[in-house]
Amino acid sequence: MTEYDGIIIGAGPNGLTLGSYLAKAGLKILLLDRRLEIGGGLATEQVTIPGFLHNTHAVYHMMVDYAPIFKDLRLFEESDLKFVKPEPAMVLPLSDGRSICLYSDIEKTCASIAQFSKHDSDCYRDMAHEFQTYVDEFLAPATYAPSMPPFEQLAKLTTNEIGQGINELTEKTPRQIVDERFENEHVRALFLYAACMWGLDYDLEGVSFLVPLLINRAANYRLCVGGTHHLAHVLSQVIYRNGGMILGPKLVKRIVVEGGAAKGVELEDGTVYRASKFIASSLNPHQTFMQLVGAENLDANFVQRIHDWQWEKYSLFGVHLALEHPPHFKAADNNPDVDKGFVYIVGYETEQDLVDHWEAIKRGELGDGGFNAAFPSVHDPLQAPRGKATALLSQHAPFRLHQGAEAWYGPLREEHADRCVAKLRKYATNISDEDIIWRYISTPLDIHNKFQTMQEGSIKHGAYIPFQMGFLRPNEECSQHVTSIKNLYVCGASTFPGGMVIFGPGYNAANVIAAELGIEKWWSEPEMVTRAKETGML
């Protein structure tokens, strides 16, 4: 029997983050993952033909300029990790050859919007500065600080103008926020999609404090050079250099609970690993508590709250293409920058197009919706053979189709992929059958089976709804990463602050575990968090 100081279940981005910090703090750390490849959603695979690298889950990195791990772990200085920041960051091409381009440069974006509406251009300028302030002063610092009870956080926010502005947005829906600012239907389509592309319900109040973050980040997405999975490799190197171990594929059968405390894990093959200090799970609440801990070790009310956990209404349908050459968009004939874009919002030309598609998803239908598209090899030639290109078409889609989730394994998947490619051809002029070398399809059911923490294709391990956010993610007992089981902690996307490869759950769990175990921290509090505390925001 092998004993470690700490065992982390799940070697996705948050498990790797937690393991990196605590291994560097001198603890003997073991990470266990059920998959052969580590990284979870940090997945880059050759799923079409050799030489083409496809980011089969995460591709748009949104918090590279804020997440503490990059500075603390010296990832850029001590590895070959690099990100590129394509410009324009987001493009809405239209069938008439026009486009709206979203740049990190506010004035360039204003000029693009002004082609459609001078009013909207001026409103965007004001909104961009406003939202940047919200992100810098509260939303980014709060991502890497402990969660706070709702009334306590509300009281802090109401003490200054910035906090009051965030609170006012929370009481609105994403659609109301967009419609109050913009009048042009194309501009509304772009910003409503940017606000909701990661699963916010366009018509739901209570979580719209995220809208400023998501719109701000849409102009600042990064691409990991060499593929998203390279980031997982770099984090694993930190763990190995500091004496840690990562093992997979390892199927965890149960968390060993003795005398009310977590003492180790047992695998399906009977192997037991002991932990003298802690166990941490990055899995979803059902897996951690119902499958691995067991209801017999938990309070009945707590068990009911786990059963009440809701998965997301939206999952993702993806088509990955190996192309003979990079795409050329019709809109690039009017603006050459279009062909340099990172994220393309394809097939949604008006706000109503979005609403119709999202309502169809709620009914379990695919509808005639659009998708976001990216061509990573345009910005990172390492991801395709010379002169050729990779493509990703990623569409919101229901896990439970009205004819049943199993329908995803029938002819529907190929038929729907054909529809997505046909829609792309309306905007890109050089994507004929002969231009597509091969394709790979991923459905919500495939996500459910491949990444089993993402139950029902729930890419953030649970819906972003009022009672599953902040101090209530996953519930008031566990949002600060502790549990009722002594020495058992949680650190996955189902915990505060949430998913989308932002590293917040793993980072915050590292702070909590270090404090509870009396471990001397080698890292310091981020300056932005200290500043937010000094201004009374946190």
Side-chain angles (χ1 to χ4, degrees), residues 405-468:
E406 65 278 2
W408 281 119
Y409 281 160
L412 174 67
R413 60 192 293 126
E414 297 288 347
E415 294 167 359
H416 194 57
D418 290 340
R419 286 194 289 270
C420 289
V421 172
K423 181 151 293 191
L424 175 63
R425 287 174 177 151
K426 293 181 179 180
Y427 300 88
T429 61
N430 60 342
I431 310 290
S432 67
D433 287 343
E434 292 73 24
D435 297 314
I436 299 174
I437 304 170
W438 205 261
R439 77 181 185 187
Y440 169 80
I441 300 169
S442 173
T443 73
L445 185 55
D446 295 319
I447 292 174
H448 170 85
N449 290 327
K450 184 174 184 177
F451 304 109
Q452 294 193 4
T453 53
M454 303 179 193
Q455 191 164 333
E456 297 192 6
S458 187
I459 63 172
K460 300 187 299 295
H461 298 195
Y464 277 11
I465 54 179
F467 293 108
Q468 292 186 181

Side-chain angles (χ1 to χ4, degrees), residues 194-424:
C196 297
M197 67 183 290
W198 300 120
L200 293 193
D201 189 321
Y202 77 96
D203 210 23
L204 178 68
E205 299 176 4
V207 293
S208 292
F209 61 88
L210 286 174
V211 169
L213 177 69
L214 295 172
I215 288 180
N216 174 271
R217 295 292 85 195
N220 292 278
Y221 288 138
R222 267 78 163 173
L223 174 72
C224 188
V225 174
T228 287
H229 188 62
H230 185 53
L231 178 53
H233 280 163
V234 169
L235 288 171
S236 72
Q237 290 165 13
V238 176
I239 294 169
Y240 289 133
R241 282 200 304 267
N242 288 280
M245 177 59 67
I246 306 172
L247 298 177
K250 298 293 181 183
L251 305 182
V252 178
K253 178 180 180 181
R254 69 184 180 102
I255 294 172
V256 178
V257 178
E258 298 172 353
K263 297 293 187 179
V265 299
E266 180 184 357
L267 305 186
E268 290 286 354
D269 64 6
T271 301
V272 174
Y273 296 102
R274 305 287 291 189
S276 61
K277 298 183 183 298
F278 77 91
I279 306 290
S281 172
S282 65
L283 309 185
N284 69 49
H286 284 269
Q287 292 171 314
T288 298
F289 295 107
M290 306 312 299
Q291 297 177 20
L292 301 185
V293 171
E296 67 275 11
N297 292 307
L298 300 165
D299 175 81
N301 290 329
F302 181 87
V303 170
Q304 184 57 53
R305 291 204 297 277
I306 299 301
H307 285 309
D308 291 340
W309 184 254
Q310 295 184 40
W311 309 112
E312 296 160 67
K313 295 177 181 178
Y314 305 104
S315 186
L316 297 176
F317 176 85
V319 184
H320 297 268
L321 303 175
L323 299 175
E324 286 285 1
H325 42 68
H328 173 68
F329 282 82
K330 287 194 298 183
D333 294 339
N334 296 316
N335 178 6
D337 281 358
V338 169
D339 276 349
K340 304 173 187 176
F342 187 17
V343 185
Y344 296 87
I345 310 307
V346 176
Y348 299 115
E349 302 214 0
T350 69
E351 182 181 64
Q352 194 59 46
D353 291 340
L354 290 172
V355 171
D356 290 345
H357 186 204
W358 289 336
E359 287 300 312
I361 292 171
K362 293 177 183 180
R363 298 190 299 268
E365 301 170 1
L366 290 175
D368 185 32
F371 45 83
N372 68 76
F375 304 86
S377 59
V378 170
H379 313 288
D380 174 20
L382 294 174
Q383 299 194 35
R386 183 183 297 274
K388 302 189 185 300
T390 58
L392 162 66
L393 317 183
S394 181
Q395 182 183 66
H396 292 125
F399 172 78
R400 296 188 181 279
L401 294 162
H402 66 81
Q403 62 267 56
E406 65 278 2
W408 281 119
Y409 281 160
L412 174 67
R413 60 192 293 126
E414 297 288 347
E415 294 167 359
H416 194 57
D418 290 340
R419 286 194 289 270
C420 289
V421 172
K423 181 151 293 191
L424 175 63

Side-chain angles (χ1 to χ4, degrees), residues 15 56-57 63 179 182 354 389-390 392 471:
T56 50
H57 196 71
M63 297 297 277
D179 286 0
F182 303 112
L354 290 172
T390 58
L392 162 66
F471 195 72

